[in-house]
Amino acid sequence: MATGQTVLDRMELLHPELQLQAGESDVTKGLIAANMAQDYMESVFALHPGIFGDSIGTVTTAANTETTTFPTGVIRLDKLQRLDSNGRVVADLDPVRAAGGHAPTSDWLSSATGFTAIPQSYWTNGRSFYFDPIPDAVYTLRWTGMQQQTDITASGTIQYPDICLSPLAAFAVKVMKTGLDDDPTALGSLAAELFEPVVAALSNFRREGPQALVYRYAHST
């Protein structure tokens, strides 16, 4: 597995003036730049549900309480499921697509004030989960999605495959070369340019064979 030093080494190769070996003068700034690069990379990855959806955790509802805290560091939620007492999945919760006009103290999702039952649906703003109906008891819900990885350190393991390392290094070098008068919004465009090919490569693991042709019209010639 690659480490943060692997990224620093590639940054030094791309920009030989940098001093990024252990104890050298640019290591601290290099790691800051590498972590900025990882943040941008994850923001691109989070837009694509087909990759890195392997983070799993649980949240717990409270009886007669509409909300519970959203899990820390989750930047893409793919699924929310209710578990039984043995930890087995018994039901998927449906996401509520429409939102608006919610007051935190009101029963926004529920059909009637004071109505409680097993939660069937949820809505989230990335800070809290809101349930419909309001839970009538304590339930364990398992979330699946993409969670931000820990900050890169020189000796720490990089939690992404090697295909991500060179784009990470290239973006980090660009960050370090960005001057006071440079347009910082250009970094967003660069992130898409560098990391979208990685997304494309990591989105095609499954080879399910050719799809059957469906003939909708019959004609004679």
Side-chain angles (χ1 to χ4, degrees):
M1 297 291 289
T3 65
Q5 188 60 51
T6 309
V7 177
L8 296 178
D9 290 344
R10 296 187 184 206
M11 291 170 62
E12 203 171 54
L13 183 64
L14 293 169
H15 189 8
E17 293 180 5
L18 293 174
Q19 303 294 310
L20 296 174
Q21 299 305 305
E24 292 185 340
S25 59
D26 294 328
V27 171
T28 299
K29 288 184 178 180
L31 288 172
I32 293 173
N35 278 296
M36 291 176 66
Q38 180 171 264
D39 291 343
Y40 272 93
M41 181 178 74
E42 289 178 332
S43 71
V44 174
F45 289 168
L47 299 175
H48 300 271
I51 63 172
F52 298 121
D54 54 351
S55 296
I56 297 174
T58 60
V59 296
T60 305
T61 70
N64 304 309
T65 302
E66 185 183 15
T67 67
T68 195
T69 303
F70 194 79
T72 302
V74 174
I75 53 178
R76 190 188 71 230
L77 182 69
D78 296 330
K79 184 172 289 188
L80 191 64
Q81 300 171 304
R82 181 165 53 86
L83 306 181
D84 65 13
S85 59
N86 295 312
R88 296 172 298 193
V89 175
V90 292
D92 291 349
L93 272 71
D94 296 321
V96 175
R97 302 298 183 184
H102 178 247
T105 57
S106 69
D107 297 329
W108 173 60
L109 291 172
S110 300
S111 57
T113 300
F115 175 76
T116 62
I118 298 174
Q120 304 292 327
S121 305
Y122 73 91
W123 179 81
T124 183
N125 55 8
R127 296 181 180 177
S128 298
F129 283 114
Y130 294 81
F131 299 111
D132 180 28
I134 293 176
D136 60 349
V138 173
Y139 296 98
T140 299
L141 307 176
R142 184 178 73 180
W143 59 264
T144 306
M146 180 179 176
Q147 192 169 31
Q148 289 178 301
Q149 298 299 320
T150 57
D151 284 350
I152 295 172
T153 63
S155 60
T157 301
I158 300 294
Q159 300 299 316
Y160 291 102
D162 286 356
I163 194 174
C164 301
L165 300 182
S166 292
L168 265 176
F171 193 95
V173 167
K174 180 62 177 178
V175 168
M176 294 192 74
K177 294 174 68 176
T178 299
L180 179 63
D181 295 327
D182 292 331
D183 179 12
T185 61
L187 292 176
S189 299
L190 179 63
E193 184 177 346
L194 284 173
F195 300 124
E196 285 290 350
V198 179
V199 170
L202 295 176
S203 297
N204 296 294
F205 283 112
R206 296 185 301 274
R207 294 296 297 268
E208 298 171 341
Q211 299 297 313
L213 296 177
V214 177
Y215 293 95
R216 298 177 57 190
Y217 304 101
H219 62 86
S220 58
T221 57

